Amino acid sequence: MKFKIALIGAGNVAWHLAPALEDAGHVITEVFARTIKSAEQITNRVYAGEPKDDLDFSGSEAEIFILAVKDAAIMDVADEIILPEDSILVHTSGSVGLDMLNYSSASYTGIFYPLQSFTKGRKIEFDEVPFLLESDDEETLQKLRKLAKSLSPLTYTVRSKDRKAMHIAAVFASNFSNHMIRIAEEVMHRQGLDFEMLKPLIIETISKSLQMGAKAAQTGPAIREDYETLEDHHRFLSYNENIAEIYRLISQDIIDS
C-alpha cells in the first residue's frame, strides 16, 4: 500500500524521512516550515512536493500528515493545522504522548516514532531503524504499520508510557554517551593529545557492551573500587568543576551498582 504524505517540519527527521518515504514508493505532497526556504530544503530532496509556510492543508490530497517538529511545538501545531476529512495526523516524538494530538482537526491520530539519532548530511539505513507505533484506532494502526514496514522490518506497537521509558533509555544510551565522548575529546585536546588514539577503545567498548551486556563489560577504576586513582583523576579535573562532578557522580554510581 502506497500513501500520499505531507510532512510538517523541516528539521533533521523530515530531512531524512522525506526521501526515504519517496524511495519506498510513497508520494510527498507538501512540506511545511515556518519559511518557504526551509521547506524547500526538504522538497528539493524529493521528486515532487509543494513547500508551504501556512498550516492550511484543507485542500491537500495527503492521507497521512507527519508532524516532525520539536516536542514543545507539537500541541500548538496540531491545534493550528487545518486538515482534510478522514486524515491521519501523527507525530514522531519519543517522549510526547498521543493525547497531545487530541485537539487537532484530524479524524485519526497516531505515533510514528523512528528510534534513531538523525543528523542532516549523514546517511541513515532505514531498514535498521526501529519504528515505534501507536494509535487508539485499529485501522489507523494497521496503516501506520504498513507505512513503517515499507521502510523497515523493525516495527513495534508501543504505548505512550512505555515509549517515554524507551526515550529516556535512548537519551542515556545515545545523547549522554555522545556527551561523554565530547568530554573525552576536551580532556585530550587540553593536553595537546590526538583524540584518534581513543577511537579503538571507544569502538571496542561499545561492541563489547552490546555483545556481553553493559554490566558484565564494565571495567575501570570505579568498578575495581580503586579510590586512589579516582581521587587522583578528580584532582586532575579540578580545572572544570562540572566535569569533575560528572566524573565523581558516575564513578560513585558504578561503585553502587
Side-chain angles (χ1 to χ4, degrees):
M1 180 181 291
K2 305 304 179 185
F3 297 100
K4 292 182 178 180
I5 299 167
L7 283 166
I8 318 302
N12 291 340
V13 174
W15 194 90
H16 285 279
L17 200 53
L21 288 167
E22 188 176 77
D23 289 345
H26 308 290
V27 176
I28 305 301
T29 58
E30 297 102 357
V31 175
F32 163 83
R34 292 298 180 185
T35 66
I36 287 292
K37 183 177 181 180
S38 294
E40 287 175 343
Q41 292 178 357
I42 310 300
T43 56
N44 288 341
R45 291 176 52 75
V46 296
Y47 178 76
E50 176 191 351
K52 284 174 62 67
D53 60 359
D54 69 273
L55 286 166
D56 184 355
F57 285 85
S58 57
S60 175
E61 295 183 358
E63 177 183 4
I64 299 177
F65 295 79
I66 300 178
L67 281 180
V69 299
K70 294 179 180 179
D71 289 2
I74 287 175
M75 187 168 66
D76 289 340
V77 174
D79 183 58
E80 186 179 347
I81 193 170
I82 303 172
L83 298 171
E85 189 176 353
D86 294 328
S87 58
I88 298 171
L89 179 67
V90 302
H91 71 63
T92 59
S93 170
S95 60
V96 175
L98 180 60
D99 60 340
M100 288 296 102
L101 301 179
N102 284 351
Y103 300 102
S104 72
S105 60
S107 299
Y108 309 99
T109 60
I111 307 296
F112 192 76
Y113 170 47
L115 182 54
Q116 185 53 276
S117 173
F118 294 96
T119 301
K120 289 181 181 178
R122 183 168 178 83
K123 183 175 174 59
I124 291 289
E125 300 294 342
F126 269 90
D127 59 355
E128 299 175 0
V129 176
F131 279 83
L132 279 54
L133 313 174
E134 182 181 5
S135 178
D136 289 333
D137 178 71
E138 184 58 33
E139 185 177 347
T140 297
L141 185 60
Q142 291 300 326
K143 288 180 179 179
L144 295 181
R145 189 172 288 120
K146 289 176 182 177
L147 179 61
K149 283 186 177 295
S150 72
L151 298 173
S152 170
L154 307 175
T155 62
Y156 306 90
T157 302
V158 181
R159 305 299 294 181
S160 290
K161 182 177 70 173
D162 296 327
R163 191 179 65 258
K164 179 177 289 189
M166 293 187 70
H167 189 253
I168 292 169
V171 168
F172 276 97
S174 176
N175 307 140
F176 286 1
S177 62
N178 183 75
H179 187 66
M180 294 301 103
I181 293 172
R182 189 204 66 77
I183 291 174
E185 287 180 327
E186 179 181 318
V187 172
M188 293 288 281
H189 293 161
R190 188 173 184 274
Q191 291 299 117
L193 299 170
D194 186 356
F195 179 72
E196 290 291 322
M197 291 188 287
L198 281 183
K199 288 186 177 180
L201 172 65
I202 295 168
I203 293 169
E204 171 61 14
T205 298
I206 297 298
S207 176
K208 182 170 59 174
S209 178
L210 294 176
Q211 290 175 6
M212 298 174 56
K215 190 173 182 65
Q218 187 68 58
T219 62
I223 198 68
R224 298 193 304 268
E225 297 189 27
D226 181 353
Y227 293 105
E228 184 175 345
T229 297
L230 291 173
E231 290 173 6
D232 184 49
H233 287 180
H234 195 265
R235 283 193 299 270
F236 176 88
L237 293 170
S238 61
Y239 69 88
N240 187 314
E241 291 183 2
N242 289 336
I243 293 177
E245 182 64 4
I246 289 171
Y247 184 94
R248 186 191 68 77
L249 288 171
I250 293 178
S251 295
Q252 189 60 53
D253 195 60
I254 291 171
I255 294 168
D256 294 342
S257 64

